[in-house]
Amino acid sequence: PPAPCSGTHYIIPFILVTCLYRAFTFSLTFLLYTSFHLSRKPISIVKSELHKNCSALNELSTASSSQLPNLHTAAECSWKPFDKSNYKQLLGAMDYSFLCAYAVGMFLSGIIGERLPIRLYLTFGMLMSGLFTCLFGLGYIYSIHSLGFYIFVQVANGLVQTTGWPSVVTCIGNWFGKGRRGLIMGIWNSHTSVGNILGSLIAGYWVSSNWGLSFIVPGLIIAAMGIICFLFLIERDVCMWICVINPCFPLHLSQNWDTELLLPQDNSSVSVPVQQVVVVKSESEPSAISFMGALRIPGVIEFSLCLLFAKLVSYTFLFWLPLYITKTAHLDAKKAGDLSTLFDVGGIVGGILAGVISDKLGKRATTCAVMLLLAAPIVSMLLVCGGLVNGPYALITTAVAADLGTHKSLKGNARALSTVTAIIDGTGSVGAAIGPLLAGVLSSQGWDQVFYMLMAADFLALLVGADAC
C-alpha cells in the first residue's frame, strides 16, 4: 500500500523552491545593475587622460636635450577638443548631457516600464547601453575629435540607461515583502558601489595605454549581462502554478479557493486512482497608476527632493573625484581611480548600515536625516563621507521607494512601484545632472568652492528630509 500522505510533503518543497528563486533573483538583479554602474564609471577615470598636464614631459625633454625645441605641448598630449583652457567646462558639459538625458528619461521610463514586460524592457536597455558605451571608446580607436559625437553618445546612453533602475527595483519588490526590507535592500543596493569600484579598476587598467578599451570592455560586459537577463530573469513571484497531486492525497476545496479541477469532483474532496492537475488562476492585473496619482502618495515629493540634493553630492564625487585627486595629489590616472574607490567602499557600508538602522527604528526619514547631518562637515573624508552620503541615497532609492510604491493608500495595487521609483530617482537625477555641471564651473575658481557647494547641498537634503519625518 502507498505510504501515508501529508500536506507538509507538498508545502515544504514549494517553499524551498520559492526561496531558491528569490535568492536567484536577488543575485541576478544585483549583477545586472552592477553592470549599469560599471559602464558609467569610465568617463570619470578617463577625464585626466583627455586633458593631460605635459609639464613633466616638457621638463624631461629639456633635461635630455636643451638644444632641441620643446616637442611636448599641452595640445599634443591632450585629446582634442579637450585640449583647450576651458576643458573643465567641456568635460562638465559631457557629464551634464548624460545626466540631463537620464533625468528626463527616468520620468518616462517608469511609466513605460509599468506597461511592458520587465525582462524585455531591461534587456533592450542593456544592449543599447552596451552599444553606446562601446561607441564612446571607438572614438579613440578611430581618432574622432568632434565634441558633438561625444555629446550625442552621452545623451543616447543616458536615455537607454533609464530602463535599468525602475526595472530592477520593481522586480526585487515583487519578490520580497516588507519584512526586513531595509536590510535586504541595503545589501542589494551595494551593487551601485560595487559597480563603481569595478568600473574604476577596469577603466584604470587601460586608461594610460588605450583609453578606448576603458569604455569598450565595460560596454561588452553590460551587453553580455543583457543577454543573461533575457534568458534567466523571472519578473515576479508568479501566482499561476501547476501542482501535480499524489493519488493518495485528498484535496479539500473550499469556495474561496480560485481553483478548477480538470476531472470531475464531488462536494467534499477528490481522491482518484490517477494523477490530476490543479490549475491555480492568477487574479486579474490591476491597472497601472498615473503620474499624478503617484505624486499624491504621501512622502513621494518629500523624499524625491531629499534625493535630489543627496544625489547631487554623490554624483559630483562619482564624476569628478578622480580628476580632483589627479590635480591636487599629482597622481596618475590609474592611481587616482584606485584611490577614488574609497568613497564607494564607504557607500557599501553606509547603505547596509542605513538599512539595518531603519528596520530597527522603523523610521526611514529619521535615519536619512541623521546620516546627512553627520556627512555635511566631513565631505573631504572619502571613506566616512561615502558611507554617510550613500547611506541615505541607497535607502531612499530602494527601501523607501518600495515602501511608497506599496503604500496602503494604493489598496494593494502593486503596479505603482515602477512609476514611484522612476519619480524619486528621476528627481534625484536632476540633482545628479546639476552637481557635476556646477563642479565643472566652480573648479575653475578653486576646488574649495566645489566642497562648499557639496556641504550646502547636504544641508538642503537634511532640511527636506526632516520634513518627511
Side-chain angles (χ1 to χ4, degrees):
C5 299
S6 170
T8 308
H9 177 71
Y10 301 94
I11 296 173
I12 292 179
F14 176 72
I15 294 175
L16 290 176
V17 169
T18 302
C19 289
L20 288 175
Y21 272 117
R22 283 184 176 178
F24 175 77
T25 303
F26 182 95
S27 302
L28 180 58
T29 52
F30 181 95
L31 293 175
L32 293 179
Y33 208 72
T34 295
S35 66
F36 272 95
H37 264 264
L38 183 148
S39 67
R40 294 178 196 173
K41 187 64 178 178
I43 184 64
S44 66
I45 305 298
V46 173
K47 278 180 180 177
S48 57
E49 196 70 18
L50 294 177
H51 185 91
K52 297 176 66 175
N53 185 357
C54 297
S55 58
L57 292 175
N58 292 338
E59 293 173 3
L60 181 61
S61 176
T62 303
S64 60
S65 178
S66 58
Q67 297 179 349
L68 292 176
N70 186 1
L71 300 178
H72 298 285
T73 65
E76 290 174 340
C77 283
S78 302
W79 186 265
K80 295 179 180 180
F82 307 103
D83 55 341
K84 302 179 178 64
S85 59
N86 65 337
Y87 73 95
K88 289 182 180 179
Q89 286 80 1
L90 296 180
L91 294 174
M94 278 209 308
D95 295 340
Y96 183 74
S97 61
F98 172 88
L99 293 169
C100 187
Y102 185 87
V104 173
M106 183 60 71
F107 290 106
L108 300 175
S109 180
I111 298 173
I112 297 172
E114 294 282 14
R115 292 157 174 82
L116 294 177
I118 293 175
R119 181 173 64 92
L120 300 180
Y121 187 56
L122 187 56
T123 299
F124 170 79
M126 297 184 77
L127 292 176
M128 289 296 100
S129 182
L131 171 65
F132 290 118
T133 303
C134 288
L135 275 179
F136 199 107
L138 290 175
Y140 175 85
I141 304 297
Y142 292 101
S143 298
I144 299 174
H145 297 281
S146 169
L147 179 64
F149 170 79
Y150 296 108
I151 294 292
F152 166 76
V153 171
Q154 288 288 82
V155 170
N157 202 11
L159 289 173
V160 296
Q161 286 233 346
T162 60
T163 60
W165 190 242
S167 299
V168 294
V169 171
T170 300
C171 189
I172 205 75
N174 289 338
W175 279 93
F176 292 90
K178 290 189 176 181
R180 302 177 69 186
R181 179 175 276 172
L183 173 61
I184 292 172
M185 291 294 197
I187 297 173
W188 178 74
N189 194 65
S190 63
H191 53 50
T192 299
S193 298
V194 172
N196 290 340
I197 293 171
L198 292 177
S200 297
L201 297 177
I202 292 173
Y205 184 81
W206 282 288
V207 63
S208 298
S209 58
N210 183 347
W211 62 258
L213 291 176
S214 297
F215 289 91
I216 293 174
V217 173
L220 294 176
I221 290 174
I222 189 173
M225 291 303 299
I227 296 173
I228 293 174
C229 170
F230 176 77
L231 295 175
F232 299 108
L233 182 65
I234 302 172
E235 299 178 12
R236 63 179 68 245
D237 191 355
V238 187
C239 59
M240 178 178 288
W241 54 283
I242 299 176
C243 176
V244 179
I245 301 173
N246 190 291
C248 66
F249 179 66
L251 176 66
H252 296 278
L253 299 175
S254 60
Q255 292 181 351
N256 59 354
W257 282 24
D258 189 14
T259 59
E260 285 183 0
L261 292 178
L262 301 186
L263 293 179
Q265 56 178 310
D266 58 30
N267 293 330
S268 58
S269 64
V270 176
S271 182
V272 293
V274 293
Q275 290 185 340
Q276 57 182 326
V277 177
V278 177
V279 179
V280 183
K281 297 178 183 176
S282 62
E283 296 180 358
S284 60
E285 289 286 336
S287 59
I289 193 171
S290 66
F291 183 86
M292 295 305 298
L295 283 179
R296 285 193 290 267
I297 298 174
V300 168
I301 294 178
E302 292 87 345
F303 279 110
S304 296
L305 293 175
C306 181
L307 183 63
L308 185 150
F309 295 109
K311 207 166 181 179
L312 183 153
V313 177
S314 181
Y315 267 67
T316 301
F317 276 107
L318 173 67
F319 281 91
W320 283 92
L321 184 57
L323 182 63
Y324 165 74
I325 294 173
T326 299
K327 298 300 182 184
T328 57
H330 306 292
L331 299 177
D332 61 33
K334 185 180 186 305
K335 291 180 180 178
D338 293 342
L339 186 59
S340 70
T341 60
L342 287 176
F343 184 80
D344 294 299
V345 172
I348 295 174
V349 178
I352 297 173
L353 186 62
V356 173
I357 294 174
S358 68
D359 278 344
K360 294 292 184 182
L361 299 178
K363 296 184 181 296
R364 313 280 196 209
T366 302
T367 304
C368 293
V370 172
M371 296 186 77
L372 290 168
L373 177 63
L374 296 174
I378 55 172
V379 291
S380 60
M381 299 174 62
L382 296 183
L383 189 64
V384 180
C385 183
L388 294 175
V389 170
N390 283 341
Y393 167 28
L395 190 62
I396 293 172
T397 54
T398 53
V400 170
D403 287 347
L404 295 176
T406 55
H407 195 267
K408 60 183 180 181
S409 63
L410 297 171
K411 300 179 181 178
N413 183 359
R415 296 194 64 187
L417 184 52
S418 181
T419 302
V420 169
T421 301
I423 290 173
I424 292 176
D425 199 48
T427 306
S429 297
V430 173
I434 295 173
L437 179 66
L438 290 177
V441 174
L442 295 176
S443 60
S444 60
Q445 305 172 20
W447 289 102
D448 289 346
Q449 303 298 320
V450 177
F451 283 98
Y452 292 146
M453 180 264 292
L454 295 178
M455 285 188 283
D458 220 352
F459 276 118
L460 289 172
L462 169 63
L463 293 176
V464 178
D467 289 338
C469 293

